[in-house]
């Protein structure tokens, strides 16, 4: 029995079906303005009918451009980095770019250098580094790279363009919400010490209390996990009745652990202790009680991050500054308000 090997359709096949030249198909694919609409429509119908896909390798050889971007990431099991990675990939595809991702267990100088070398060998035109740890940002600042680099996260004093959510503002929104509800002070369960986001959230919490004339209470630390939140919640439960009535937790997963520990200790939320988280993970509205939290716009981070990178790659007019801060949003739910019917986003 003879088997016929099917080959993918070529640009010449599309041209024959549409009754146009190879150059016309190329102009349509390149969105050239000097193509009649009737001809453009005929070519596009032929492309769809044949299932034609561009040969990016051939295009790269012809144009000396790969239209491929690199992303370096770590801790992608966590909600924030995972959501950021997805948003970057989605934004790159919308701009007509492919994405090559390198996921690392740790963002050390050596590992980052290896990742950048790997992406360089793959012909990427630029790289976005998701660098939540301050040590990673320091390493990126020291490394030389043959292409533009944009950092998601990072901190002040960087020489590399960066984009991220305004973590300091998010913490101020959370802490101010609890103070406005009548709590005399707000405790804080922070994230790991090396994470810039954890440092910014803790700084926003502290600044809000000090601006209100309140001495910040003891700061607790976790590792972003529900288990670390549960253990901190057991410690926090011991302070109920001794001035603790409100807790701002640096992420929703740790807040989940805090809520369970308080519940097991017989502490009611929000009647005895109000709790605010950070991130607005999809499950947070189904916590018991539904969690008041700070929502991060990861889609905007992805779009602005890719736009900032393409401004450097393609020499676009700079419509944005090299330091972009996306505003977060406070989402109010039952963990800080006695009525579960309280609408989302309505401050007390």
């Amino acid at each position: 029995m003879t088997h016929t090997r099917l080959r993918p359709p070529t640009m010449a096949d599309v041209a024959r079906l549409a009754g146009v030249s190879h150059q016309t198909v190329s102009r349509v694919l390149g969105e050239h303005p000097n193509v009649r609409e009737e001809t453009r429509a005929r070519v596009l119908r032929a492309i769809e009918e044949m299932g034609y896909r561009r040969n990016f390798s051939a295009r790269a050889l012809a144009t000396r451009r790969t239209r491929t971007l690199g992303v370096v990431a770590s801790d992608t099991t966590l909600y924030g980095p995972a959501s950021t990675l997805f948003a970057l990939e989605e934004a790159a595809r919308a701009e007509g770019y492919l994405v090559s991702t390198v996921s690392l267990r740790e963002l050390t100088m050596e590992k980052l250098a290896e990742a950048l070398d790997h992406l360089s060998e793959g012909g990427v035109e630029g790289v976005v580094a998701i660098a939540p740890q301050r040590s990673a940002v320091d390493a990126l600042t020291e490394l030389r790279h043959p292409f533009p680099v944009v950092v998601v996260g990072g901190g002040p004093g960087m020489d590399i363009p960066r984009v991220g959510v305004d973590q300091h503002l998010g913490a101020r929104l959370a802490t101010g919400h609890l103070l406005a509800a009548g709590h005399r002070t707000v405790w804080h369960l922070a994230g790991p010490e090396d994470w810039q986001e954890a440092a910014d959230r803790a700084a926003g919490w502290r600044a809000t209390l000090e601006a209100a004339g309140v001495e910040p209470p003891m700061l607790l630390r976790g590792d972003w996990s529900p288990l670390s939140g549960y253990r901190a919640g057991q410690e926090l439960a011991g302070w109920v009745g001794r001035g603790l009535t409100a807790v701002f937790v640096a992420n929703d997963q740790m807040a989940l652990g805090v809520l369970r520990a308080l519940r097991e200790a017989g502490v009611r939320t929000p009647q005895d202790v109000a709790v605010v988280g950070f991130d607005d993970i999809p499950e947070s509205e189904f916590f018991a009680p539904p969690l008041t939290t700070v929502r991060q716009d990861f889609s905007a981070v992805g779009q602005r991050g890719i736009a900032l990178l393409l401004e450097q790659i393609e020499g676009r007019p700079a419509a944005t500054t090299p330091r972009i801060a996306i505003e977060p949003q406070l989402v109010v739910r039952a963990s800080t308000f006695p009525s579960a019917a309280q609408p989302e986003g309505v401050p007390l």
Side-chain angles (χ1 to χ4, degrees):
M1 182 176 180
T2 302
H3 294 276
T4 303
R5 175 174 292 181
L6 297 178
R7 63 171 177 79
T10 66
M11 194 180 296
D13 296 328
V14 172
R16 279 193 295 271
L17 180 61
V20 298
S21 68
H22 180 282
Q23 290 81 1
T24 299
V25 176
S26 179
R27 290 192 188 99
V28 171
L29 291 172
E31 299 181 355
H32 197 284
N34 295 334
V35 179
R36 290 191 304 170
E37 287 304 314
E38 179 185 352
T39 302
R40 188 186 306 277
R42 192 163 68 249
V43 170
L44 292 175
R45 282 196 301 270
I47 288 172
E48 183 177 0
E49 181 179 335
M50 301 194 76
Y52 171 75
R53 295 292 181 269
R54 287 184 177 182
N55 186 326
F56 282 97
S57 297
R59 182 180 178 186
L61 288 172
T63 64
R64 298 185 182 275
R65 294 199 56 189
T66 63
R67 294 194 71 83
T68 301
L69 305 178
V71 176
V72 178
S74 69
D75 295 298
T76 51
T77 57
L78 296 174
Y79 178 73
S83 299
T84 301
L85 176 58
F86 178 81
L88 288 167
E89 291 176 339
E90 190 174 46
R93 286 194 299 271
E95 292 283 353
Y97 282 78
L98 301 175
V99 174
S100 178
T101 302
V102 177
S103 295
L104 302 174
R105 289 187 178 275
E106 51 183 355
L107 296 177
T108 63
M109 177 85 74
E110 180 182 1
K111 295 297 183 182
L112 279 169
E114 290 176 359
L116 293 177
D117 286 345
H118 172 77
L119 292 170
S120 179
E121 291 171 0
V124 301
E125 298 186 33
V127 168
V128 178
I130 304 173
Q133 295 97 337
R134 284 175 287 187
S135 57
V137 174
D138 293 340
L140 280 170
T141 303
E142 294 295 325
L143 288 172
R144 294 184 177 181
H145 31 77
F147 36 59
V149 173
V150 168
V151 169
V152 174
M158 287 178 53
D159 293 331
I160 304 175
R162 63 184 173 93
V163 61
V165 173
D166 190 336
Q167 309 292 331
H168 196 277
L169 173 59
R172 297 203 311 271
L173 291 172
T175 308
H177 168 71
L178 291 167
L179 291 177
H183 298 280
R184 294 184 177 180
T185 190
V186 178
W187 289 59
H188 182 46
L189 172 56
E193 194 167 3
D194 185 44
W195 282 61
Q196 185 64 47
E197 293 177 351
D200 290 344
R201 293 171 196 178
W205 160 75
R206 185 175 291 106
T208 305
L209 291 181
E210 291 174 348
V214 178
E215 180 70 22
M218 176 179 64
L219 180 144
L220 284 72
R221 285 201 181 274
D223 61 10
W224 301 127
S225 70
L227 177 59
S228 68
Y230 178 75
R231 290 170 176 164
Q234 291 176 314
E235 184 175 353
L236 291 167
W239 289 90
V240 176
R242 294 190 289 163
L244 188 150
T245 63
V247 182
F248 165 43
V249 186
N251 79 330
D252 291 351
Q253 284 95 341
M254 290 196 299
L256 175 62
V258 168
L259 289 171
R260 175 173 172 176
L262 293 178
R263 186 167 58 250
E264 289 181 355
V267 178
R268 300 170 301 168
T269 303
Q271 293 88 343
D272 301 322
V273 175
V275 178
V276 176
F278 207 107
D279 282 339
D280 192 27
I281 64 175
E283 299 83 2
S284 62
E285 63 179 312
F286 300 100
F287 286 3
L291 183 67
T292 293
T293 185
V294 177
R295 178 179 295 163
Q296 303 194 72
D297 190 344
F298 293 109
S299 178
V301 171
Q303 292 169 6
R304 301 294 291 277
I306 293 298
L308 188 57
L309 185 60
L310 295 184
E311 285 175 7
Q312 301 176 73
I313 293 173
E314 300 182 348
R316 298 182 181 182
T320 57
T321 65
R323 306 287 188 270
I324 301 172
I326 309 294
E327 287 195 8
Q329 174 191 0
L330 180 69
V331 179
V332 179
R333 299 192 180 105
S335 68
T336 59
F337 195 78
S339 170
Q342 175 72 9
E344 286 191 6
V346 179
L348 295 178

